[in-house]
């Protein structure tokens, strides 16, 4: 109700003064649309979340809301998206910039959970680092070989190769490779949604019950979305998801940069 009220008041202010109050209302409206979309997505029945995952619902609501708010201000869809996440290019912070500023806090919070499991992580260090390295290599080279086998163009192949890295790392890599950023972002999101929806059930079906193995597999294949999906029901797996997620992303980034710029 609070986020709905914030969205309504922001729209009312925009209608009253599109060029003045409308610009100032972009931040609260964007936050309301994004958070409200996620809350709406969480209410989707579990049986339908394979299609309407909360992240998909969030993206649809945030994009639709941003486009509508931008239209009220006389902005195109592209300009409205740029205002949502402007990375300091505009005087006012966008909703995307505000949300991205919280990413560091989230990453730091992983460290506390890892610290509580430090003894377990130390005992299982070979499995953790071995699984991280192997999943990195497999993801990198399997994507490249598969792209070549099916005859994808070099541009499309480069856009798909960073698919297993978190979006925050995948987009700079794709930009460095001169690959289409939209395709890279879509590939990362699709892989994350597939892993989040079907990963835990698939691991259970094949008999993977060990917490460490489940955490490493979820983060290594589906990144942040896989981590969130698994740990929402199995919080004890978070430290191992975090270790795999952080190490896997960093190693993939180094391999990609070295492979395409050496």
């Amino acid at each position: 109700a609070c986020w709905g009220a914030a969205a309504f008041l922001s729209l009312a202010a925009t209608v009253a003064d599109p060029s003045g109050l409308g610009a100032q209302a972009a931040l609260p409206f964007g936050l309301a649309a994004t958070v409200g979309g996620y809350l709406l997505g969480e209410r989707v029945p579990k049986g339908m979340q394979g299609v309407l995952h909360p992240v998909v619902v969030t993206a649809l609501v945030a994009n639709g809301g941003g486009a509508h708010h931008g239209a009220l201000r006389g902005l195109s869809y592209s300009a409205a998206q740029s205002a949502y996440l402007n990375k300091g290019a505009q005087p006012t912070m966008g909703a995307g910039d505000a949300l991205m500023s919280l990413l560091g806090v989230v990453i730091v919070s992983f460290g506390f959970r890892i610290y509580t499991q430090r003894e377990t992580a130390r005992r299982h260090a070979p499995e953790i680092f071995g699984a991280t390295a192997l999943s990195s290599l497999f993801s990198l080279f399997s994507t490249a070989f598969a792209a070549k086998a099916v005859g994808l163009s070099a541009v499309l192949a480069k856009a798909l190769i960073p698919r297993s890295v978190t979006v925050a790392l995948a987009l700079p890599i794709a930009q460095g490779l001169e690959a289409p950023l939209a395709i890279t972002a879509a590939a990362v999101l699709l892989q994350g949604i597939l892993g989040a929806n079907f990963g835990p059930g698939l691991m259970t079906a094949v008999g993977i019950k060990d917490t460490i193995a489940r955490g490493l597999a979820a983060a290594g294949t589906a990144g942040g979305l896989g981590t969130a999906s698994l740990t929402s029901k199995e919080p004890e797996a978070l430290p191992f998801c975090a270790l795999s997620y952080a190490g896997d992303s960093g190693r993939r980034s180094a391999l990609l940069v070295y492979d395409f710029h050496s």
Side-chain angles (χ1 to χ4, degrees):
C2 293
W3 288 110
F8 176 79
L9 292 174
S10 299
L11 286 176
T14 302
V15 172
D17 185 9
S19 60
L21 292 176
Q24 299 177 19
L27 174 58
F29 180 81
L31 289 175
T34 304
V35 177
Y38 178 77
L39 295 175
L40 181 63
E42 284 290 295
R43 292 182 175 271
V44 174
K46 295 296 182 182
M48 296 179 59
Q49 287 192 4
V51 178
L52 288 176
H53 190 275
V55 173
V56 175
V57 178
T58 303
L60 292 174
V61 174
N63 274 272
H68 179 62
H69 188 265
L72 292 176
R73 297 173 55 197
L75 301 178
S76 65
Y77 175 77
S78 178
Q81 292 300 303
S82 297
Y84 182 88
L85 180 64
N86 59 64
K87 299 181 179 180
Q90 299 180 18
T92 58
M93 175 185 288
D97 300 293
L99 292 171
M100 288 293 287
S101 68
L102 301 176
L103 183 60
V105 178
V106 175
I107 299 300
V108 170
S109 71
F110 285 173
F112 293 102
R113 297 302 299 270
I114 293 172
Y115 183 77
T116 63
Q117 296 286 341
R118 61 191 182 282
E119 293 301 328
T120 302
R122 186 178 294 114
R123 290 197 305 270
H124 294 277
E127 298 100 296
I128 293 172
F129 291 107
T132 300
L134 290 175
S135 66
S136 301
L137 292 171
F138 178 80
S139 175
L140 172 67
F141 292 107
S142 64
T143 304
F145 290 142
K148 184 177 182 179
V150 300
L152 293 181
S153 65
V155 172
L156 186 57
K158 290 179 180 180
L160 295 178
I161 282 178
R163 62 185 172 80
S164 295
V165 185
T166 180
V167 174
L169 292 175
L171 294 183
I173 293 171
Q175 187 173 16
L177 300 176
E178 299 182 353
L181 301 185
I183 295 178
T184 298
V188 173
L189 180 60
L190 179 60
Q191 172 148 327
I193 290 175
L194 290 174
N197 282 330
F198 306 112
L202 181 61
M203 287 189 286
T204 300
V206 299
I208 301 176
K209 300 179 180 180
D210 181 74
T211 299
I212 297 176
R214 291 173 70 88
L216 293 174
T221 57
L225 288 179
T227 296
S229 176
L230 181 67
T231 56
S232 63
K233 297 180 180 179
E234 304 175 36
E236 66 278 4
L238 179 58
F240 309 105
C241 288
L243 286 170
S244 178
Y245 186 44
D248 204 25
S249 297
R251 188 169 288 103
R252 283 186 181 129
S253 299
L255 284 171
L256 287 167
V257 172
Y258 175 80
D259 184 63
F260 287 98
H261 291 280
S262 62

